[in-house]
Structures are given as structure tokens and as C-alpha cells.
Amino acid sequence: MTVTLHVCITCRAGETPGEGETTPGKRLLGAILEAGVPEGVDVVPVECLSACSQGCSVALSAPGRWSYVYGRLSETNAQDVVTGAAAYAAAPDGLVPWRSRPEIFRKQSLARIPPVAVVPEAAE
């Protein structure tokens, strides 16, 4: 099953980029792509993850799995994000053992969201 790594490309991380300058969020996206995306992970740029006061942010999600939002990131964290995304993709329920997570995923988690319950449609 493919998991999705959402990367906020509008994150400014407290900076005010000048006209034509790349936002820190777009730099993080570029660094993640350059680091190499693991098999089973789709990287999707998004406009906003509403974690603006927490620096650059990413989110990991997949159907039937716990989802996570991580913040206080920069392009220097790209390899750890890729490593964490690979571990998440390998965990059937999205719960990666604590010690198997990169340090930024242990200390910079902003939210942990339970899997969405699928409610069967009412019989007609």
C-alpha cells in the first residue's frame, strides 16, 4: 500500500522570502526529493498544513493507518524525513516503534491522528 508524505510548500519558517525567492517549505520539498523517495511513498506538495507557527511541516498518512504531522523542520532534516517515511510505509498500522523512529519524528511530532473509521452505508 502506498503512503502519502504531504510537504507544506508555503511554510516560511519565520522567514519573509523576497520576491521570487523560494520558501523554506519548497526548499524542504526539493531536499526530500533529492534525498530519494522510498518505494511505497508518494510525495505530495500541499499549500498549507496549518502549522505555521511550527516552522516547516510534513504529514504522513495512509488509509487505515494512524496519521502524523511533524514540524520545526528544514531542508537539513530531509534524510531523516525520508527515513521516517520509509519506516512508516513498512508499518502495517502506521505505528512505528519509538526507537525505530528518527529523532525528529520522536521529538517534533505536532499531531497523531487516528485512522478514519469506515462506516458502512445504510441498507436501503
Side-chain angles (χ1 to χ4, degrees), residues 16-88:
T16 305
E19 185 69 33
E21 289 183 8
T22 305
T23 62
K26 284 183 182 174
R27 291 195 307 261
L28 174 59
L29 173 64
I32 288 169
L33 295 174
E34 190 174 301
V37 179
E39 189 172 325
V41 176
D42 285 338
V43 177
V44 177
V46 295
E47 290 292 319
C48 186
L49 290 172
S50 290
C52 303
S53 66
Q54 298 295 322
C56 292
S57 58
V58 300
L60 279 167
S61 63
R65 296 183 186 203
W66 284 82
S67 298
Y68 294 87
V69 179
Y70 300 99
R72 301 181 300 280
L73 303 172
S74 74
E75 67 241 50
T76 62
N77 302 120
Q79 188 58 57
D80 285 336
V81 171
V82 167
T83 299
Y88 179 83

